[in-house]
Amino acid sequence: MIKNDDERVVFFDVDGTLLDTSDFAETARKAAIGLMVDNGLPLDKDEAYGVLKTIIREKGSNYGKHFNVLTQVVLGHEDPMLVALGMVTYHNVKMALLRPFPETIDTLIYLKSQGYRLAVISNGITIKQWEKLVRLNIHSFFDEVITSEEVGKNKPNKLIYDVALRKMKGNPEKSLMIGNKFKEDALGAVNAGMSAILVNSDVTEDDRAYIKKEKLDITIIDNIGDVNTIL
C-alpha cells in the first residue's frame, strides 16, 4: 500500500463506491415511464420500459436524450411535453434515492484528517458526477473530479489515470484508487503504477486467483469503512 508521507493521493470512483446506487436508476426510469404512459405515451408501462432499456443499451447510460429517442421511436416524432415529464421525474426520483454508504462520510473525514489529498476518477459526465457530490454535501472533500468525458477515454485506459495523476501532481507509487470494479478501477489503477482497494465488488474467485498469482497490489474489502483500518 501507499507510504505515509506528504504526497499521498487517494482517488475514488463514485457510483457503487462512495454512493449506494443499487437499483436507484431502474426505479427512477420506471417512475418516469409510468408518468409518460399516464400522459399519453401509447404503450403499456412494461412495453415502454422495454423500449427504453433497448435505447439505453444502444446509446449508453451516459447519453442525455434517452426519453427524446423513446418518443421518436414510439410516436415517430419527438414530443417535448412527454420528454420533459420523463426527464424531470427521472432526475427527481433518482436524486431522492441517492445516498452515500453509511460509512462514506466518516471515511472521507478520516482520510482528510490523516493528510491524504482526495480526487475522483469516474467513467461519466463531469457535471453529473459533481452534481452527485454536491447534492450529498461531500464535494468539499475532493480537489478534482476527472471523468471519461473530460479525458476522452474510459477506465481502465491508462490515459485517464495519467491525467488524474498529473492534475493532482501525484506520484503513482504513492497513489491509490478505491473503486468497486475489478477491471476498470483495480486493474486500471495497477496498470498505471498505482495500488488499489476494491470495495462493494462482485470480484470473482478467478479475479482473486489472478491477483494472487500476479502479486498485484490490490486489497479487497467489504465495507468502505474498512479503508480506515488499512490507510
Side-chain angles (χ1 to χ4, degrees), residues 82-97:
L82 289 177
V83 171
L85 280 172
M87 290 177 58
V88 170
T89 304
Y90 172 74
H91 287 293
N92 284 349
V93 172
K94 185 176 74 170
M95 292 307 169
L97 295 174

Side-chain angles (χ1 to χ4, degrees), residues 6-12 18 108 111-112 115-121 126 130 133 138-146 150 164-170:
D6 293 335
E7 297 181 339
R8 298 169 297 177
V9 181
V10 178
F11 296 98
F12 281 91
L18 291 169
L108 296 176
L111 292 174
K112 294 295 281 188
Y116 290 94
R117 293 185 294 130
L118 308 183
V120 162
I121 304 177
T126 305
W130 270 118
L133 301 178
I138 59 175
H139 59 286
S140 60
F141 289 103
F142 299 98
D143 297 324
E144 297 281 353
V145 170
I146 299 93
E150 171 192 348
L165 287 164
R166 187 165 61 249
K167 280 200 165 192
M168 291 295 291
K169 297 180 174 61

Side-chain angles (χ1 to χ4, degrees), residues 37-199:
V37 169
D38 290 343
N39 283 272
L41 190 70
L43 293 176
D44 68 38
K45 294 176 183 179
D46 288 339
E47 289 175 325
Y49 185 62
V51 174
L52 180 64
K53 286 199 297 184
T54 299
I55 293 167
I56 292 168
R57 283 196 301 270
E58 292 175 351
K59 298 290 186 180
S61 60
N62 287 321
Y63 181 71
K65 295 187 175 182
H66 295 129
F67 296 114
N68 304 63
V69 177
L70 175 63
T71 59
Q72 289 172 344
V73 169
V74 175
L75 300 172
H77 61 86
E78 188 174 304
D79 186 311
M81 186 272 288
L82 289 177
V83 171
L85 280 172
M87 290 177 58
V88 170
T89 304
Y90 172 74
H91 287 293
N92 284 349
V93 172
K94 185 176 74 170
M95 292 307 169
L97 295 174
L98 197 65
R99 59 196 182 277
F101 286 105
E103 296 186 48
T104 290
I105 294 176
D106 286 345
T107 298
L108 296 176
I109 292 171
Y110 167 79
L111 292 174
K112 294 295 281 188
S113 74
Q114 297 300 305
Y116 290 94
R117 293 185 294 130
L118 308 183
V120 162
I121 304 177
S122 172
N123 286 347
I125 306 300
T126 305
I127 189 66
K128 287 185 177 181
Q129 299 305 77
W130 270 118
E131 180 186 12
K132 293 170 188 174
L133 301 178
V134 169
R135 283 182 179 272
L136 295 174
N137 199 29
I138 59 175
H139 59 286
S140 60
F141 289 103
F142 299 98
D143 297 324
E144 297 281 353
V145 170
I146 299 93
T147 67
S148 55
E149 178 193 37
E150 171 192 348
V151 176
K153 295 291 184 179
N154 289 338
K155 296 180 296 184
N157 191 287
K158 185 173 179 289
L159 179 61
I160 194 168
Y161 290 97
D162 290 343
V163 169
L165 287 164
R166 187 165 61 249
K167 280 200 165 192
M168 291 295 291
K169 297 180 174 61
N171 182 331
E173 294 181 359
K174 299 172 183 177
S175 298
L176 168 73
M177 179 71 195
I178 301 177
N180 67 316
K181 294 183 179 178
F182 176 61
K183 180 179 179 181
E184 288 85 346
D185 297 317
L187 285 185
V190 168
N191 289 337
M194 301 163 60
S195 56
I197 293 177
L198 276 172
V199 61

Side-chain angles (χ1 to χ4, degrees), residues 174-231:
K174 299 172 183 177
S175 298
L176 168 73
M177 179 71 195
I178 301 177
N180 67 316
K181 294 183 179 178
F182 176 61
K183 180 179 179 181
E184 288 85 346
D185 297 317
L187 285 185
V190 168
N191 289 337
M194 301 163 60
S195 56
I197 293 177
L198 276 172
V199 61
N200 307 320
S201 179
D202 293 330
V203 61
T204 66
E205 290 305 315
D206 287 343
D207 295 335
R208 292 175 185 269
Y210 182 76
I211 291 169
K212 184 176 181 179
K213 177 184 175 183
E214 299 297 325
K215 298 180 179 178
L216 301 179
D217 194 357
I218 298 172
T219 302
I220 301 170
I221 60 177
D222 295 323
N223 189 305
I224 194 170
D226 294 337
V227 169
N228 301 15
T229 67
I230 298 171
L231 301 182

